[in-house]
Amino acid sequence: MVLSNKEKKYIILAEDDEDDRSFFKEAFSELKLAYDLRVAEDGFELMNFLEKPAIQLPQLILLDLNMPLINGFECMELIKKNERLKNIPVIIYSTSANLAEIEKSYSLGAHFYLHKPSNFPRLKEDIKKVLITDWEKEPIPKNKN
C-alpha cells in the first residue's frame, strides 16, 4: 500500500542550531526509515505548525530545550495542555546533561531524554532506537544514557 503525502508518517525535529539540524538530517537520511522528517527552526515555528487544525499530526516530536522565542520546556507545556497534541510522544533532544533539566523534562511528560551525541554513528544509532520504540505502548521510561 502506498501512502499519499497526507498519510505518510513523519516526525518533526524542533532545533534552532543549523549545524545540529544538518547533522540530524544527514543521519536520518542515511537510515532510510519509513518516516519523513520535517524540521522547525525554533519552538515558535513548531507550535505554529502543530496548532494548525488541518495538518496531519506527527508520530513523534524531537524537541531541543534551548531555543529562542519558545523554549523546549514551554513547548512541552503547550503540547501537553492541548487535547489534540497531548498524546504525541515527545523526545527531548538536548546538549544539556543537567539532572534538573532531565527531571523537569520527564515531569512535563517527555517520553525520553536523548543527550545529543558528539559523533555521527552514535546519532544514527540513537535515532534508530527512538524510531523503533512504540512509544504509545511503552510507559514513560527512565533515561538510561
Side-chain angles (χ1 to χ4, degrees):
M1 176 179 169
V2 177
L3 295 175
S4 71
N5 274 347
K6 189 175 180 185
E7 298 169 328
K8 191 151 187 171
K9 292 182 177 182
Y10 74 96
I11 67 169
I12 191 164
L13 169 68
E15 170 61 67
D16 66 311
D17 185 274
E18 187 175 343
D19 290 336
D20 285 346
R21 285 192 311 266
S22 179
F23 195 47
F24 193 95
K25 285 179 193 178
E26 185 177 344
F28 191 86
S29 177
E30 285 189 16
L31 287 169
K32 299 184 187 326
L33 300 162
Y35 292 88
D36 280 341
L37 175 65
R38 297 188 186 169
V39 177
E41 294 184 7
D42 57 47
F44 180 79
E45 186 177 322
L46 172 70
M47 295 313 302
N48 191 39
F49 175 76
L50 290 175
E51 290 173 345
K52 291 180 181 176
I55 67 144
Q56 175 193 350
L57 295 175
Q59 280 64 46
L60 184 73
I61 298 169
L62 286 133
L63 182 61
D64 185 23
L65 288 180
N66 301 309
M67 296 184 292
L69 304 177
I70 302 176
N71 70 36
F73 292 129
E74 293 165 328
C75 286
M76 281 288 299
E77 289 174 349
L78 293 168
I79 289 166
K80 295 305 176 179
K81 287 179 182 176
N82 184 309
E83 263 322 293
R84 186 168 170 260
L85 306 175
K86 71 180 184 181
N87 293 319
I88 301 171
V90 178
I91 308 299
I92 299 301
Y93 177 66
S94 180
T95 55
S96 174
N98 179 298
L99 186 57
E101 288 184 343
I102 294 169
E103 289 174 355
K104 182 175 181 177
S105 297
Y106 283 120
S107 74
L108 290 172
H111 282 72
F112 194 68
Y113 192 99
L114 183 61
H115 188 262
K116 289 181 186 177
S118 59
N119 67 64
F120 193 71
R122 176 68 192 268
L123 175 60
K124 285 173 51 175
E125 186 180 303
D126 287 348
I127 292 170
K128 188 174 182 179
K129 179 173 75 172
V130 163
L131 290 178
I132 63 172
T133 301
D134 185 349
W135 296 107
E136 292 177 9
K137 293 183 181 173
E138 291 287 323
I140 295 179
K142 297 294 180 208
N143 188 7
K144 296 177 183 169
N145 286 345

Short mmCIF file of all heavy atoms in Angstrom, two decimals, residues 12 41 58 63 77 107 128 130:
data_model
loop_
_atom_site.label_atom_id
_atom_site.label_comp_id
_atom_site.label_asym_id
_atom_site.label_seq_id
_atom_site.Cartn_x
_atom_site.Cartn_y
_atom_site.Cartn_z
N ILE A 12 8.83 15.24 13.57
CA ILE A 12 9.25 16.64 13.45
C ILE A 12 10.35 16.90 14.48
O ILE A 12 10.26 16.47 15.62
CB ILE A 12 8.06 17.61 13.59
CG1 ILE A 12 8.45 19.02 13.21
CG2 ILE A 12 7.43 17.54 14.96
CD1 ILE A 12 7.28 19.94 12.94
N GLU A 41 12.54 25.42 12.99
CA GLU A 41 13.78 26.07 13.39
C GLU A 41 13.76 26.67 14.80
O GLU A 41 14.78 27.13 15.29
CB GLU A 41 14.16 27.13 12.36
CG GLU A 41 14.51 26.49 11.03
CD GLU A 41 15.00 27.49 9.99
OE1 GLU A 41 15.20 28.68 10.33
OE2 GLU A 41 15.18 27.06 8.84
N PRO A 58 2.26 14.63 13.61
CA PRO A 58 3.43 13.75 13.51
C PRO A 58 3.29 12.55 14.45
O PRO A 58 2.53 12.60 15.41
CB PRO A 58 4.59 14.65 13.93
CG PRO A 58 3.96 15.66 14.83
CD PRO A 58 2.57 15.88 14.29
N LEU A 63 12.54 17.35 20.38
CA LEU A 63 12.48 18.74 20.83
C LEU A 63 13.74 19.16 21.55
O LEU A 63 14.10 18.59 22.58
CB LEU A 63 11.26 18.85 21.77
CG LEU A 63 10.89 20.18 22.36
CD1 LEU A 63 10.55 21.19 21.28
CD2 LEU A 63 9.70 20.00 23.30
N GLU A 77 4.92 22.19 27.70
CA GLU A 77 3.72 22.59 28.43
C GLU A 77 2.56 22.85 27.48
O GLU A 77 1.43 22.42 27.74
CB GLU A 77 4.02 23.83 29.28
CG GLU A 77 4.92 23.52 30.47
CD GLU A 77 5.33 24.76 31.25
OE1 GLU A 77 5.10 25.90 30.78
OE2 GLU A 77 5.91 24.58 32.34
N SER A 107 8.98 15.32 34.10
CA SER A 107 7.81 15.78 34.85
C SER A 107 6.80 16.49 33.95
O SER A 107 5.61 16.49 34.23
CB SER A 107 8.22 16.68 36.02
OG SER A 107 8.62 17.95 35.56
N LYS A 128 17.65 5.60 15.34
CA LYS A 128 17.03 4.30 15.06
C LYS A 128 16.34 3.74 16.30
O LYS A 128 15.21 3.27 16.24
CB LYS A 128 18.08 3.32 14.53
CG LYS A 128 17.49 2.04 14.04
CD LYS A 128 18.55 1.17 13.40
CE LYS A 128 17.93 -0.10 12.87
NZ LYS A 128 18.94 -0.96 12.23
N VAL A 130 15.14 5.36 18.88
CA VAL A 130 13.95 6.17 19.18
C VAL A 130 12.80 5.80 18.24
O VAL A 130 11.65 5.68 18.66
CB VAL A 130 14.29 7.68 19.10
CG1 VAL A 130 13.04 8.52 19.00
CG2 VAL A 130 15.12 8.09 20.30
#
